[in-house]
Amino acid sequence: MSEDNSNNTHFGYKTVEAEKKADLVADVFHSVAAKYDIMNDVMSFGIHRLWKRHTIEVAAARPGMSILDLAGGTGDLTAKFSRIVGNTGSVVIADINDSMLKVGRTKLRDRGIVNNVSYVQANAEALPFPDNHFDIITIAFGLRNVTDKDAALRSMRRVLKPGGKLLVLEFSKPKHEVMRKVYDLYSFKVLPKMGAMITQDADSYEYLAESIRMHPDQETLKQMMIDAGLEQVDYTNMTDGVVALHRGYKF
């Protein structure tokens, strides 16, 4: 799903050498990190908060649990999980991009979230954690930026505890044609202009729009999760399928 052949992969609509994609994605997020939260609110009209709230509800975390917030960015999910798991639990926020982690660390510490959160710079394809380690893993709006998605899903399954749950929150394919047309118009005409105004970086938001279109649709991602060894995989569409929350378990 992630590669054209053994050497090439997609970076938006471009075909690039697979080994170079991580650096190209890193450049995008280095560029937008400082204003990432502002852009999320503006470009989703604040709806991303509802998508993430639903993810927290489905996660059903409890005090004492160990949670990995992968591609955690600026820490929106980590902040919620930290309060839920309490002092007897722990949350790891992991991201391949150090600029995003720095913004997240500053934001969470400013909110007084310190004791049960740790920060790890990590590649989702080869997570630096022991087998059977986390009760819950979430990856929100990050999987589409991973070079080898299949390897990443296998890596996530490996570090889940038996009975553990993986939640993948990601942009997907709208169900209805009218919504698809409106969404395309917004993504390719409006979004880059917002990026130019707010972050002075239209190119990064053009890539983000393209990366959404290149990401597997709901059924394809469901099968990828099954192929990675996850069980009882299902998904919920939100906002007509603009976003989907996939859920799978390790048994």
Side-chain angles (χ1 to χ4, degrees), residues 214-251:
M214 298 304 295
H215 186 68
D217 64 17
Q218 289 93 324
E219 285 294 324
T220 304
L221 179 54
K222 177 181 177 180
Q223 188 59 51
M224 290 169 67
M225 291 174 67
I226 293 170
D227 291 344
L230 293 154
E231 300 181 44
Q232 296 184 8
V233 179
D234 61 10
Y235 63 85
T236 302
N237 285 318
M238 293 179 277
T239 317
D240 195 56
V242 168
V243 164
L245 177 64
H246 283 69
R247 171 176 52 183
Y249 296 85
K250 175 180 177 177
F251 293 115

Side-chain angles (χ1 to χ4, degrees), residues 27-233:
D27 288 342
V28 169
F29 285 94
H30 285 313
S31 174
V32 304
K35 295 187 177 179
Y36 183 79
D37 285 340
I38 295 172
M39 275 299 295
N40 274 352
D41 278 331
V42 171
M43 69 184 184
S44 74
F45 306 102
I47 299 173
H48 75 100
R49 297 176 184 274
L50 300 179
W51 299 331
K52 291 172 181 174
R53 183 183 302 168
H54 181 65
T55 302
I56 295 292
E57 291 171 354
V58 172
R62 300 188 302 276
M65 280 188 165
S66 177
I67 297 177
L68 172 62
D69 181 11
L70 185 56
T74 59
D76 284 349
L77 293 181
T78 293
K80 302 286 189 183
F81 283 133
S82 172
R83 294 187 177 96
I84 293 169
V85 302
N87 292 332
T88 59
S90 63
V91 184
V92 175
I93 177 171
D95 203 293
I96 197 170
N97 188 281
D98 65 315
S99 295
M100 295 292 284
L101 280 176
K102 287 174 182 175
V103 172
R105 183 186 292 111
T106 299
K107 183 172 81 172
L108 295 180
R109 288 181 175 175
D110 285 348
R111 294 182 181 181
I113 299 170
V114 178
N115 294 335
N116 61 356
V117 175
S118 57
Y119 303 81
V120 176
Q121 187 172 357
N123 187 331
E125 297 170 27
L127 292 169
F129 307 110
D131 295 355
N132 308 317
H133 190 66
F134 294 102
D135 296 291
I136 298 169
I137 298 175
T138 58
I139 178 167
F141 306 113
L143 185 61
R144 72 181 186 280
N145 297 311
V146 174
T147 303
D148 190 336
K149 297 174 181 62
D150 296 308
L153 290 169
R154 291 192 300 270
S155 184
M156 289 179 233
R157 182 191 178 280
R158 178 184 64 79
V159 301
L160 270 177
K161 294 178 181 178
K165 181 189 307 181
L166 170 63
L167 297 173
V168 181
L169 179 65
E170 188 55 89
F171 292 106
S172 199
K173 184 177 180 180
K175 294 166 59 180
H176 297 98
E177 184 64 27
V178 172
M179 176 63 88
R180 285 198 287 269
K181 289 180 178 179
V182 171
Y183 188 40
D184 279 344
L185 177 66
Y186 173 74
S187 298
F188 291 103
K189 299 297 183 182
V190 178
L191 186 57
K193 291 180 180 178
M194 286 183 179
M197 287 188 296
I198 296 173
T199 70
Q200 288 72 56
D201 184 357
D203 289 345
S204 289
Y205 284 91
E206 286 178 5
Y207 158 73
L208 292 174
E210 292 173 1
S211 71
I212 291 167
R213 295 307 179 277
M214 298 304 295
H215 186 68
D217 64 17
Q218 289 93 324
E219 285 294 324
T220 304
L221 179 54
K222 177 181 177 180
Q223 188 59 51
M224 290 169 67
M225 291 174 67
I226 293 170
D227 291 344
L230 293 154
E231 300 181 44
Q232 296 184 8
V233 179

